[in-house]
Amino acid sequence: MTIRPALRALAIVLVACSALPARADQADQAAVDAFSAAARRGDFQAVHLQLENDSSLANAVDSYGYTALRWAVNGQHRALARHLLAQGADADAVGADGGTPLHGLCHHDDPELAALLLDAGADPRRANRWGRTPVHVAARRNCGRVLALLLERGGDPAAPTREGWTPLHVARKAGHPATAELLLTAGADPEARDNDGKTPADMLYVRPEVGSLDEDAGRAYQGTYALDQGGGFRVWWEDGLLRLEEFAADIMDPIGPDRFLCRQEPWTVTFTRDEAGVPTEIQVDFLRRSVHGKRLDRAEYVGSAKCLECHFAGGPRDPGMTWLAGRHAAAYWRLATDWSEFLAQRRPQYRDMESPIEESRCLLCHVTGWQKPGTLRQAGWARTEGVGCEACHGPGSKYVDEDVMSDREAFLAAGGVIPDQETCRQCHRRPREFDFEAKWDRIAHWPQDETK
Ligand code: HEC
Ligand code: HEC
Ligand code: HEC
Ligand code: HEC
């Protein structure tokens, strides 16, 4: 190594460190991390209650080096981001990677959220630790609407990254011609050269023709894949498309047997199957490196209809009967009532809400698994089931087998849950309004053969 790159690396580290937000004078780290975790899973009510208690949380930095706003924006939790900004969160808070909430936002083509951040003072020119501005991120991810807005609000179409890439280089490398056109219109220089002397045209990537995929073929890939070096990908089927998520969700289009091209990122994805023909490994080729991961044996939600196949014998304490007759099974549809809208309107933090039944802020406790966005759902799961069996007993794919369920230890080892009051308190959060014994009595479905 010559001395120059070493000095440059040192300088970058120093700049990155000096740009880190200070952690002094903030609530204790465990409280901050809990707050951040709530923002990450989009838990509006938890964030709201914690902020009411301690407004300094709005700008507190968690153990990862980020504020809650960054997580809310990364997860595209719009209402939550709006709420955090209204409570004084810094729209331009610099995180551990040197990036700001706008960097996270540019992974989603969400101009409404982008406008919110820009109006609150976010800087579209700020470069992260690798010299990427939000404009670079939007160009790579093909977020045309956000890109147009960034350029209109002062984003720089000529800014170079550490490698000397302008946003136009990035758009060409990712194979997004419309985005490249947009940058050219905004004044990007087609002759700009990177540190190796290459122009955007030298990097041109033409995306191959893509095929189509049916549901059965697509669902076969569904799973969580853990990377050798930590982190991982989720792969799942939703609304007729196969999706991949590391940090922000993308769609995968088939380009060959077990081979896919991401629609937004310039990544190709290849699955490897075991002897039984089941996809068990993933390889993701980024522009300059590849990562590998193995599929984890994680439980997924199967949906309450599956449970009813066996647990529906009739009788007063039968689990299926009790559930269907109770309010949990109707919890989703409750959100469609005028009463729901009325209740929401009475609370200032929900005033902007248009329709509770479409709202994460309400679905959070009115639908199975909404508080666990990382857990995958199989075809049988539907939000219409409301608070289903698996909301309390845990995702069922690994325990639905009769042999597993008849054996308590095997059931627990497969992710099954024998619920207690803590389970209820994930949703019934006001201690004074929730007397476990009395409430449980109303929905008790065990023991089945005893009459009370
Ligand atoms: C933190 C969890 C949680 C969130 C978030 C939540 N609910 Fe509920 N909701 C509950 C629980 C628990 C009950 C049952 C309370 C009870 O009656 O003991 C309930 C009951 C209701 C009821 C029936 C209550 C009645 O008086 O008839 C309505 C309507 C309702 N929620 C609407 C909403 C709407 C609209 C939203 C979004 C603005 C929402 N909920 C968000 C947990 C939640
Ligand atoms: C609101 C939460 C909740 C929901 C929803 C729920 N259960 Fe339960 N279930 C419990 C609790 C709590 C127990 C009692 C656990 C204990 O203390 O043994 C229980 C017990 C059971 C048991 C007996 C377990 C044992 O100890 O032998 C079965 C079987 C069962 N549930 C099946 C179901 C099925 C099937 C559904 C859906 C139709 C369902 N449950 C929905 C909370 C729930
Ligand atoms: C193929 C039939 C079948 C299906 C499907 C099924 N169960 Fe069971 N389940 C059983 C049998 C059999 C037992 C053991 C006898 C009993 O407790 O009734 C059992 C036991 C349980 C228990 C008590 C576990 C223990 O070890 O004490 C729970 C809780 C439970 N089931 C919940 C569910 C849930 C939730 C689903 C849906 C995700 C489900 N079951 C789907 C047949 C089934
Ligand atoms: C995933 C969130 C969630 C969990 C977990 C949950 N509940 Fe509920 N519960 C709700 C919602 C939402 C309602 C309101 C449904 C409605 O009225 O439409 C509700 C309503 C009820 C009701 C009827 C309203 C009332 O006050 O009589 C009872 C009883 C109840 N829950 C008991 C429990 C018990 C006991 C547990 C734990 C074993 C539990 N719940 C776990 C979300 C949850």
Side-chain angles (χ1 to χ4, degrees):
M1 206 204 237
T2 60
I3 256 181
R4 241 168 188 290
L7 279 180
R8 199 172 67 169
L10 181 64
I12 285 160
V13 169
L14 288 177
V15 168
C17 293
S18 63
L20 277 181
R23 291 190 197 195
D25 302 330
Q26 71 178 29
D28 78 281
Q29 203 62 47
V32 176
D33 288 350
F35 183 68
S36 247
R40 212 154 49 227
R41 61 174 195 271
D43 194 332
F44 186 91
Q45 200 212 30
V47 167
H48 173 68
L49 295 174
Q50 289 173 62
L51 266 178
E52 267 187 344
N53 233 354
D54 177 1
S55 60
S56 80
L57 285 170
N59 283 306
V61 178
D62 66 17
S63 304
Y64 293 105
Y66 299 99
T67 62
L69 181 62
R70 179 74 176 265
W71 295 114
V73 167
N74 283 357
Q76 217 187 347
H77 306 301
R78 264 196 226 165
L80 187 54
R82 203 182 303 119
H83 189 61
L84 284 162
L85 286 167
Q87 301 301 313
D90 176 5
D92 226 8
V94 177
D97 62 351
T100 64
L102 256 192
H103 284 90
L105 178 270
C106 291
H107 286 78
H108 311 282
D109 201 10
D110 187 335
E112 195 185 308
L113 192 47
L116 200 72
L117 288 173
L118 290 164
D119 289 346
D123 178 3
R125 291 179 168 245
R126 166 106 54 185
N128 69 12
R129 216 199 286 180
W130 299 276
R132 284 138 176 79
T133 67
V135 176
H136 288 101
V137 180
R140 193 187 80 219
R141 289 277 298 186
N142 206 24
C143 295
R145 290 178 302 168
V146 162
L147 181 61
L149 186 67
L150 292 174
L151 293 169
E152 197 185 300
R153 300 286 199 97
D156 182 1
T161 63
R162 267 168 61 191
E163 301 89 341
W165 299 332
T166 64
L168 187 58
H169 282 95
V170 172
R172 289 289 188 219
K173 267 156 56 86
H176 299 313
T179 302
E181 280 309 314
L182 183 62
L183 285 161
L184 286 167
T185 314
D189 177 6
E191 300 303 326
R193 292 187 182 272
D194 72 2
N195 297 354
D196 296 329
K198 290 196 172 137
T199 66
D202 294 332
M203 300 187 159
L204 185 65
Y205 171 56
V206 180
R207 290 182 164 246
E209 287 285 313
V210 299
S212 64
L213 195 69
D214 66 38
E215 171 157 7
D216 285 346
R219 285 220 183 257
Y221 300 105
Q222 176 161 313
T224 304
Y225 296 81
L227 294 183
D228 307 335
Q229 65 268 45
F233 289 94
R234 284 196 305 140
V235 172
W236 75 104
W237 181 266
E238 191 182 309
D239 299 335
L241 294 164
L242 189 61
R243 292 154 199 276
L244 174 87
E245 180 174 66
E246 179 208 28
F247 168 72
D250 205 340
I251 291 164
M252 291 192 282
D253 292 311
I255 52 170
D258 289 331
R259 227 174 131 69
F260 299 84
L261 176 66
C262 288
R263 207 174 270 185
Q264 289 187 277
E265 294 286 1
W267 301 345
T268 49
V269 180
T270 314
F271 292 93
T272 315
R273 294 175 186 259
D274 63 10
E275 312 84 66
V278 179
T280 49
E281 281 181 43
I282 195 172
Q283 174 177 329
V284 181
D285 297 308
F286 302 141
L287 287 173
R288 290 193 299 182
R289 67 192 179 98
S290 304
V291 293
H292 298 260
K294 282 199 172 54
R295 185 181 189 148
L296 296 176
D297 192 16
R298 279 238 180 115
E300 301 177 0
Y301 292 107
V302 299
S304 297
K306 181 78 195 161
C307 317
L308 295 182
E309 282 174 19
C310 301
H311 293 283
F312 191 35
R317 292 219 160 200
D318 173 72
M321 279 299 274
T322 313
W323 177 67
L324 282 173
R327 305 229 333 220
H328 285 138
Y332 173 74
W333 294 113
R334 182 87 55 205
L335 296 174
T337 57
D338 292 344
W339 181 229
S340 264
E341 268 181 53
F342 174 77
L343 282 186
Q345 286 302 318
R346 287 181 38 191
R347 305 198 171 91
Q349 73 271 26
Y350 297 136
R351 285 255 158 85
D352 60 316
M353 190 177 287
E354 280 166 19
S355 162
I357 202 159
E358 317 260 346
E359 268 283 345
S360 266
R361 277 180 279 182
C362 307
L363 297 172
L364 197 66
C365 303
H366 284 253
V367 167
T368 306
W370 212 269
Q371 287 181 41
K372 309 221 161 49
T375 306
L376 295 166
R377 302 142 178 178
Q378 298 186 353
W381 177 94
R383 56 173 74 183
T384 50
E385 74 171 38
V387 178
C389 316
E390 295 165 289
C392 294
H393 290 290
S397 67
K398 291 181 66 193
Y399 67 72
V400 281
D401 191 273
E402 214 164 310
D403 295 336
V404 178
M405 257 178 313
S406 308
D407 172 353
R408 174 67 59 97
E409 264 174 41
F411 171 78
L412 295 174
V417 174
I418 297 298
D420 58 18
Q421 27 181 327
E422 288 316 308
T423 315
C424 316
R425 290 190 195 285
Q426 291 168 24
C427 302
H428 293 266
R429 290 181 179 168
R430 295 195 170 85
R432 263 181 285 150
E433 289 165 32
F434 188 77
D435 169 4
F436 176 71
E437 299 299 335
K439 293 277 184 178
W440 167 243
D441 199 48
R442 294 205 203 169
I443 60 158
H445 44 274
W446 174 85
Q448 290 172 46
D449 49 358
E450 247 178 51
T451 34
K452 230 186 134 197

